[in-house]
Amino acid sequence: MDTQCLMLAVVQPEDAEAATLALTEAGLRVTRISSIGGFLRAGNVTLLLGLGRSQVPRAIKLLADNCERRTFYVNAAQMVDFRAGYVMPVETIIGGANIFVMSVERVMHFGAQVEGTLVETQERREGGMKMVIAIVPEKHSNEILDALIEAQYRATLVSTTGGFIRKGNATLLIGVRDERADGVLQHIQGVCEAISLRGNSEVPWATVFVLNMEQYVQV
């Protein structure tokens, strides 16, 4: 079985549309998050992709083909030409894509039917933590968030877009102890089932990744 992983790619806004289109046309599911960062503190776009291991090289090639390296000039106050009396611009190259590939312990799909894959069975670690990333429909995201908060799980909601038709969705980030990870999945599944039972014509869905967290610190 092709083991599952999560790819996180940070790309420039100028490349985001072409990269997303190339990935979706290749049959890969992409979730987009508007973000800020890098040396220039400039806006960028973070792409999340759930992939089988065998798909990783193809995804990297598509990103490489559609993300350019660009030259920017920035003013560095410490580099002053006193004879000319102005701040010298400094040349810097940014792009094309910064790519992170992470192993996934579990992937769950809640929709018309429940599907799940387990990368490898691991014993629960004493004091261990998981990061649960759940991509859910935007229209039902607050209902899922409320259910998690009511059950005393801490969750962060991020507005995102994804899929071939670029529908609005939302991404929930939930940090949880190992022994409570199953409870998070059960609550998300429970909300999806409850929505379905209300007779909605649209089948609620959620794609959930469970990752091992190496360290968690509150400061």
Side-chain angles (χ1 to χ4, degrees), residues 134-160:
I135 301 169
V136 303
E138 185 176 33
K139 63 188 292 186
H140 301 306
S141 59
N142 284 319
E143 190 170 350
I144 295 172
L145 178 62
D146 289 344
L148 292 170
I149 291 175
E150 187 176 344
Q152 313 227 326
Y153 294 103
R154 294 185 177 182
T156 299
L157 180 65
V158 183
S159 294
T160 50

PDB file of all heavy atoms in Angstrom, residues 134-160:
ATOM      1  N   ALA A 134      -7.630  19.118   9.952  1.00  0.00           N
ATOM      2  CA  ALA A 134      -8.906  18.718   9.363  1.00  0.00           C
ATOM      3  C   ALA A 134      -9.349  19.760   8.339  1.00  0.00           C
ATOM      4  O   ALA A 134      -9.498  20.939   8.675  1.00  0.00           O
ATOM      5  CB  ALA A 134      -9.972  18.558  10.440  1.00  0.00           C
ATOM      6  N   ILE A 135      -9.525  19.342   7.095  1.00  0.00           N
ATOM      7  CA  ILE A 135     -10.023  20.213   6.032  1.00  0.00           C
ATOM      8  C   ILE A 135     -11.510  19.922   5.877  1.00  0.00           C
ATOM      9  O   ILE A 135     -11.899  18.787   5.576  1.00  0.00           O
ATOM     10  CB  ILE A 135      -9.267  19.969   4.725  1.00  0.00           C
ATOM     11  CG1 ILE A 135      -7.768  20.221   4.940  1.00  0.00           C
ATOM     12  CG2 ILE A 135      -9.789  20.887   3.614  1.00  0.00           C
ATOM     13  CD1 ILE A 135      -6.888  19.761   3.809  1.00  0.00           C
ATOM     14  N   VAL A 136     -12.337  20.930   6.103  1.00  0.00           N
ATOM     15  CA  VAL A 136     -13.789  20.734   6.205  1.00  0.00           C
ATOM     16  C   VAL A 136     -14.509  21.777   5.346  1.00  0.00           C
ATOM     17  O   VAL A 136     -13.926  22.795   4.972  1.00  0.00           O
ATOM     18  CB  VAL A 136     -14.252  20.842   7.672  1.00  0.00           C
ATOM     19  CG1 VAL A 136     -13.509  19.845   8.551  1.00  0.00           C
ATOM     20  CG2 VAL A 136     -14.054  22.252   8.218  1.00  0.00           C
ATOM     21  N   PRO A 137     -15.805  21.563   5.034  1.00  0.00           N
ATOM     22  CA  PRO A 137     -16.558  22.576   4.277  1.00  0.00           C
ATOM     23  C   PRO A 137     -16.677  23.865   5.084  1.00  0.00           C
ATOM     24  O   PRO A 137     -16.941  23.834   6.285  1.00  0.00           O
ATOM     25  CB  PRO A 137     -17.936  21.932   4.078  1.00  0.00           C
ATOM     26  CG  PRO A 137     -17.748  20.481   4.365  1.00  0.00           C
ATOM     27  CD  PRO A 137     -16.638  20.391   5.348  1.00  0.00           C
ATOM     28  N   GLU A 138     -16.504  24.986   4.414  1.00  0.00           N
ATOM     29  CA  GLU A 138     -16.563  26.278   5.105  1.00  0.00           C
ATOM     30  C   GLU A 138     -17.922  26.483   5.784  1.00  0.00           C
ATOM     31  O   GLU A 138     -17.994  26.978   6.907  1.00  0.00           O
ATOM     32  CB  GLU A 138     -16.305  27.396   4.100  1.00  0.00           C
ATOM     33  CG  GLU A 138     -16.234  28.779   4.735  1.00  0.00           C
ATOM     34  CD  GLU A 138     -15.883  29.841   3.710  1.00  0.00           C
ATOM     35  OE1 GLU A 138     -16.286  29.687   2.546  1.00  0.00           O
ATOM     36  OE2 GLU A 138     -15.207  30.804   4.084  1.00  0.00           O
ATOM     37  N   LYS A 139     -19.002  26.084   5.118  1.00  0.00           N
ATOM     38  CA  LYS A 139     -20.347  26.341   5.653  1.00  0.00           C
ATOM     39  C   LYS A 139     -20.633  25.558   6.927  1.00  0.00           C
ATOM     40  O   LYS A 139     -21.519  25.921   7.695  1.00  0.00           O
ATOM     41  CB  LYS A 139     -21.409  26.027   4.595  1.00  0.00           C
ATOM     42  CG  LYS A 139     -21.455  24.579   4.177  1.00  0.00           C
ATOM     43  CD  LYS A 139     -22.392  24.361   2.979  1.00  0.00           C
ATOM     44  CE  LYS A 139     -23.837  24.586   3.354  1.00  0.00           C
ATOM     45  NZ  LYS A 139     -24.748  24.239   2.238  1.00  0.00           N
ATOM     46  N   HIS A 140     -19.869  24.474   7.163  1.00  0.00           N
ATOM     47  CA  HIS A 140     -20.077  23.676   8.371  1.00  0.00           C
ATOM     48  C   HIS A 140     -18.918  23.802   9.368  1.00  0.00           C
ATOM     49  O   HIS A 140     -18.918  23.138  10.398  1.00  0.00           O
ATOM     50  CB  HIS A 140     -20.244  22.200   8.004  1.00  0.00           C
ATOM     51  CG  HIS A 140     -21.389  21.928   7.079  1.00  0.00           C
ATOM     52  ND1 HIS A 140     -22.668  22.349   7.351  1.00  0.00           N
ATOM     53  CD2 HIS A 140     -21.448  21.298   5.883  1.00  0.00           C
ATOM     54  CE1 HIS A 140     -23.475  21.975   6.356  1.00  0.00           C
ATOM     55  NE2 HIS A 140     -22.753  21.354   5.450  1.00  0.00           N
ATOM     56  N   SER A 141     -17.943  24.658   9.058  1.00  0.00           N
ATOM     57  CA  SER A 141     -16.725  24.712   9.872  1.00  0.00           C
ATOM     58  C   SER A 141     -16.997  25.188  11.298  1.00  0.00           C
ATOM     59  O   SER A 141     -16.425  24.652  12.259  1.00  0.00           O
ATOM     60  CB  SER A 141     -15.683  25.613   9.203  1.00  0.00           C
ATOM     61  OG  SER A 141     -16.180  26.925   9.032  1.00  0.00           O
ATOM     62  N   ASN A 142     -17.871  26.199  11.464  1.00  0.00           N
ATOM     63  CA  ASN A 142     -18.137  26.699  12.811  1.00  0.00           C
ATOM     64  C   ASN A 142     -18.867  25.659  13.663  1.00  0.00           C
ATOM     65  O   ASN A 142     -18.646  25.579  14.873  1.00  0.00           O
ATOM     66  CB  ASN A 142     -18.947  27.992  12.743  1.00  0.00           C
ATOM     67  CG  ASN A 142     -18.094  29.184  12.340  1.00  0.00           C
ATOM     68  OD1 ASN A 142     -16.966  29.315  12.803  1.00  0.00           O
ATOM     69  ND2 ASN A 142     -18.608  30.021  11.470  1.00  0.00           N
ATOM     70  N   GLU A 143     -19.729  24.869  13.029  1.00  0.00           N
ATOM     71  CA  GLU A 143     -20.430  23.819  13.767  1.00  0.00           C
ATOM     72  C   GLU A 143     -19.447  22.767  14.274  1.00  0.00           C
ATOM     73  O   GLU A 143     -19.553  22.294  15.410  1.00  0.00           O
ATOM     74  CB  GLU A 143     -21.482  23.170  12.865  1.00  0.00           C
ATOM     75  CG  GLU A 143     -22.419  22.233  13.583  1.00  0.00           C
ATOM     76  CD  GLU A 143     -23.587  21.788  12.728  1.00  0.00           C
ATOM     77  OE1 GLU A 143     -23.790  22.349  11.625  1.00  0.00           O
ATOM     78  OE2 GLU A 143     -24.309  20.870  13.166  1.00  0.00           O
ATOM     79  N   ILE A 144     -18.470  22.415  13.430  1.00  0.00           N
ATOM     80  CA  ILE A 144     -17.453  21.447  13.843  1.00  0.00           C
ATOM     81  C   ILE A 144     -16.570  22.053  14.929  1.00  0.00           C
ATOM     82  O   ILE A 144     -16.245  21.405  15.930  1.00  0.00           O
ATOM     83  CB  ILE A 144     -16.621  20.998  12.632  1.00  0.00           C
ATOM     84  CG1 ILE A 144     -17.501  20.228  11.649  1.00  0.00           C
ATOM     85  CG2 ILE A 144     -15.436  20.131  13.075  1.00  0.00           C
ATOM     86  CD1 ILE A 144     -16.828  19.907  10.327  1.00  0.00           C
ATOM     87  N   LEU A 145     -16.183  23.327  14.751  1.00  0.00           N
ATOM     88  CA  LEU A 145     -15.350  24.006  15.747  1.00  0.00           C
ATOM     89  C   LEU A 145     -16.065  24.087  17.090  1.00  0.00           C
ATOM     90  O   LEU A 145     -15.461  23.815  18.139  1.00  0.00           O
ATOM     91  CB  LEU A 145     -14.989  25.408  15.252  1.00  0.00           C
ATOM     92  CG  LEU A 145     -14.149  26.274  16.193  1.00  0.00           C
ATOM     93  CD1 LEU A 145     -12.797  25.643  16.455  1.00  0.00           C
ATOM     94  CD2 LEU A 145     -13.982  27.675  15.622  1.00  0.00           C
ATOM     95  N   ASP A 146     -17.353  24.437  17.084  1.00  0.00           N
ATOM     96  CA  ASP A 146     -18.118  24.529  18.327  1.00  0.00           C
ATOM     97  C   ASP A 146     -18.171  23.180  19.045  1.00  0.00           C
ATOM     98  O   ASP A 146     -18.068  23.121  20.284  1.00  0.00           O
ATOM     99  CB  ASP A 146     -19.540  25.015  18.036  1.00  0.00           C
ATOM    100  CG  ASP A 146     -19.587  26.477  17.624  1.00  0.00           C
ATOM    101  OD1 ASP A 146     -18.587  27.184  17.851  1.00  0.00           O
ATOM    102  OD2 ASP A 146     -20.617  26.906  17.073  1.00  0.00           O
ATOM    103  N   ALA A 147     -18.353  22.099  18.268  1.00  0.00           N
ATOM    104  CA  ALA A 147     -18.410  20.764  18.880  1.00  0.00           C
ATOM    105  C   ALA A 147     -17.091  20.406  19.541  1.00  0.00           C
ATOM    106  O   ALA A 147     -17.057  19.820  20.638  1.00  0.00           O
ATOM    107  CB  ALA A 147     -18.778  19.727  17.819  1.00  0.00           C
ATOM    108  N   LEU A 148     -15.975  20.771  18.905  1.00  0.00           N
ATOM    109  CA  LEU A 148     -14.656  20.473  19.474  1.00  0.00           C
ATOM    110  C   LEU A 148     -14.407  21.302  20.737  1.00  0.00           C
ATOM    111  O   LEU A 148     -13.906  20.788  21.743  1.00  0.00           O
ATOM    112  CB  LEU A 148     -13.566  20.734  18.437  1.00  0.00           C
ATOM    113  CG  LEU A 148     -13.538  19.783  17.230  1.00  0.00           C
ATOM    114  CD1 LEU A 148     -12.585  20.299  16.162  1.00  0.00           C
ATOM    115  CD2 LEU A 148     -13.120  18.376  17.671  1.00  0.00           C
ATOM    116  N   ILE A 149     -14.746  22.587  20.687  1.00  0.00           N
ATOM    117  CA  ILE A 149     -14.528  23.457  21.843  1.00  0.00           C
ATOM    118  C   ILE A 149     -15.395  23.012  23.014  1.00  0.00           C
ATOM    119  O   ILE A 149     -14.961  23.001  24.167  1.00  0.00           O
ATOM    120  CB  ILE A 149     -14.796  24.923  21.461  1.00  0.00           C
ATOM    121  CG1 ILE A 149     -13.712  25.408  20.495  1.00  0.00           C
ATOM    122  CG2 ILE A 149     -14.841  25.804  22.707  1.00  0.00           C
ATOM    123  CD1 ILE A 149     -13.938  26.800  19.955  1.00  0.00           C
ATOM    124  N   GLU A 150     -16.653  22.629  22.711  1.00  0.00           N
ATOM    125  CA  GLU A 150     -17.549  22.153  23.764  1.00  0.00           C
ATOM    126  C   GLU A 150     -16.988  20.899  24.439  1.00  0.00           C
ATOM    127  O   GLU A 150     -17.183  20.692  25.641  1.00  0.00           O
ATOM    128  CB  GLU A 150     -18.929  21.852  23.176  1.00  0.00           C
ATOM    129  CG  GLU A 150     -19.972  21.513  24.225  1.00  0.00           C
ATOM    130  CD  GLU A 150     -21.346  21.306  23.624  1.00  0.00           C
ATOM    131  OE1 GLU A 150     -21.553  21.707  22.463  1.00  0.00           O
ATOM    132  OE2 GLU A 150     -22.214  20.744  24.326  1.00  0.00           O
ATOM    133  N   ALA A 151     -16.276  20.080  23.654  1.00  0.00           N
ATOM    134  CA  ALA A 151     -15.648  18.874  24.216  1.00  0.00           C
ATOM    135  C   ALA A 151     -14.278  19.172  24.812  1.00  0.00           C
ATOM    136  O   ALA A 151     -13.543  18.274  25.176  1.00  0.00           O
ATOM    137  CB  ALA A 151     -15.518  17.805  23.129  1.00  0.00           C
ATOM    138  N   GLN A 152     -13.922  20.478  24.887  1.00  0.00           N
ATOM    139  CA  GLN A 152     -12.696  20.950  25.525  1.00  0.00           C
ATOM    140  C   GLN A 152     -11.437  20.591  24.751  1.00  0.00           C
ATOM    141  O   GLN A 152     -10.379  20.341  25.322  1.00  0.00           O
ATOM    142  CB  GLN A 152     -12.599  20.417  26.966  1.00  0.00           C
ATOM    143  CG  GLN A 152     -13.862  20.586  27.765  1.00  0.00           C
ATOM    144  CD  GLN A 152     -13.621  21.162  29.163  1.00  0.00           C
ATOM    145  OE1 GLN A 152     -12.617  20.891  29.767  1.00  0.00           O
ATOM    146  NE2 GLN A 152     -14.560  21.927  29.640  1.00  0.00           N
ATOM    147  N   TYR A 153     -11.554  20.603  23.420  1.00  0.00           N
ATOM    148  CA  TYR A 153     -10.372  20.520  22.563  1.00  0.00           C
ATOM    149  C   TYR A 153     -10.030  21.932  22.102  1.00  0.00           C
ATOM    150  O   TYR A 153     -10.919  22.726  21.780  1.00  0.00           O
ATOM    151  CB  TYR A 153     -10.643  19.652  21.333  1.00  0.00           C
ATOM    152  CG  TYR A 153     -10.890  18.200  21.642  1.00  0.00           C
ATOM    153  CD1 TYR A 153     -12.186  17.685  21.631  1.00  0.00           C
ATOM    154  CD2 TYR A 153      -9.847  17.340  21.941  1.00  0.00           C
ATOM    155  CE1 TYR A 153     -12.429  16.353  21.911  1.00  0.00           C
ATOM    156  CE2 TYR A 153     -10.083  16.001  22.227  1.00  0.00           C
ATOM    157  CZ  TYR A 153     -11.366  15.515  22.215  1.00  0.00           C
ATOM    158  OH  TYR A 153     -11.613  14.196  22.497  1.00  0.00           O
ATOM    159  N   ARG A 154      -8.738  22.251  22.046  1.00  0.00           N
ATOM    160  CA  ARG A 154      -8.301  23.542  21.541  1.00  0.00           C
ATOM    161  C   ARG A 154      -8.112  23.436  20.033  1.00  0.00           C
ATOM    162  O   ARG A 154      -7.390  22.567  19.556  1.00  0.00           O
ATOM    163  CB  ARG A 154      -6.994  23.967  22.200  1.00  0.00           C
ATOM    164  CG  ARG A 154      -7.141  24.241  23.689  1.00  0.00           C
ATOM    165  CD  ARG A 154      -5.852  24.770  24.268  1.00  0.00           C
ATOM    166  NE  ARG A 154      -5.991  25.110  25.664  1.00  0.00           N
ATOM    167  CZ  ARG A 154      -5.010  25.628  26.407  1.00  0.00           C
ATOM    168  NH1 ARG A 154      -3.829  25.859  25.863  1.00  0.00           N
ATOM    169  NH2 ARG A 154      -5.214  25.922  27.675  1.00  0.00           N
ATOM    170  N   ALA A 155      -8.746  24.314  19.298  1.00  0.00           N
ATOM    171  CA  ALA A 155      -8.676  24.252  17.843  1.00  0.00           C
ATOM    172  C   ALA A 155      -8.527  25.652  17.272  1.00  0.00           C
ATOM    173  O   ALA A 155      -9.061  26.619  17.821  1.00  0.00           O
ATOM    174  CB  ALA A 155      -9.924  23.579  17.271  1.00  0.00           C
ATOM    175  N   THR A 156      -7.793  25.763  16.165  1.00  0.00           N
ATOM    176  CA  THR A 156      -7.635  27.022  15.438  1.00  0.00           C
ATOM    177  C   THR A 156      -8.233  26.846  14.056  1.00  0.00           C
ATOM    178  O   THR A 156      -7.944  25.869  13.362  1.00  0.00           O
ATOM    179  CB  THR A 156      -6.138  27.393  15.315  1.00  0.00           C
ATOM    180  OG1 THR A 156      -5.597  27.566  16.627  1.00  0.00           O
ATOM    181  CG2 THR A 156      -5.960  28.682  14.537  1.00  0.00           C
ATOM    182  N   LEU A 157      -9.066  27.800  13.656  1.00  0.00           N
ATOM    183  CA  LEU A 157      -9.766  27.735  12.370  1.00  0.00           C
ATOM    184  C   LEU A 157      -9.115  28.698  11.387  1.00  0.00           C
ATOM    185  O   LEU A 157      -8.920  29.875  11.688  1.00  0.00           O
ATOM    186  CB  LEU A 157     -11.239  28.094  12.567  1.00  0.00           C
ATOM    187  CG  LEU A 157     -12.135  28.091  11.332  1.00  0.00           C
ATOM    188  CD1 LEU A 157     -12.265  26.684  10.763  1.00  0.00           C
ATOM    189  CD2 LEU A 157     -13.515  28.646  11.684  1.00  0.00           C
ATOM    190  N   VAL A 158      -8.765  28.191  10.202  1.00  0.00           N
ATOM    191  CA  VAL A 158      -8.134  28.996   9.156  1.00  0.00           C
ATOM    192  C   VAL A 158      -8.999  28.917   7.900  1.00  0.00           C
ATOM    193  O   VAL A 158      -9.344  27.816   7.455  1.00  0.00           O
ATOM    194  CB  VAL A 158      -6.710  28.485   8.829  1.00  0.00           C
ATOM    195  CG1 VAL A 158      -6.053  29.372   7.787  1.00  0.00           C
ATOM    196  CG2 VAL A 158      -5.855  28.407  10.084  1.00  0.00           C
ATOM    197  N   SER A 159      -9.355  30.063   7.327  1.00  0.00           N
ATOM    198  CA  SER A 159     -10.110  30.066   6.078  1.00  0.00           C
ATOM    199  C   SER A 159      -9.177  29.710   4.922  1.00  0.00           C
ATOM    200  O   SER A 159      -8.095  30.296   4.785  1.00  0.00           O
ATOM    201  CB  SER A 159     -10.739  31.440   5.828  1.00  0.00           C
ATOM    202  OG  SER A 159     -11.717  31.718   6.796  1.00  0.00           O
ATOM    203  N   THR A 160      -9.583  28.757   4.098  1.00  0.00           N
ATOM    204  CA  THR A 160      -8.750  28.279   3.005  1.00  0.00           C
ATOM    205  C   THR A 160      -9.610  28.047   1.767  1.00  0.00           C
ATOM    206  O   THR A 160     -10.826  28.174   1.799  1.00  0.00           O
ATOM    207  CB  THR A 160      -8.036  26.960   3.387  1.00  0.00           C
ATOM    208  OG1 THR A 160      -9.008  26.025   3.905  1.00  0.00           O
ATOM    209  CG2 THR A 160      -6.994  27.194   4.464  1.00  0.00           C
TER     210      THR A 160
END
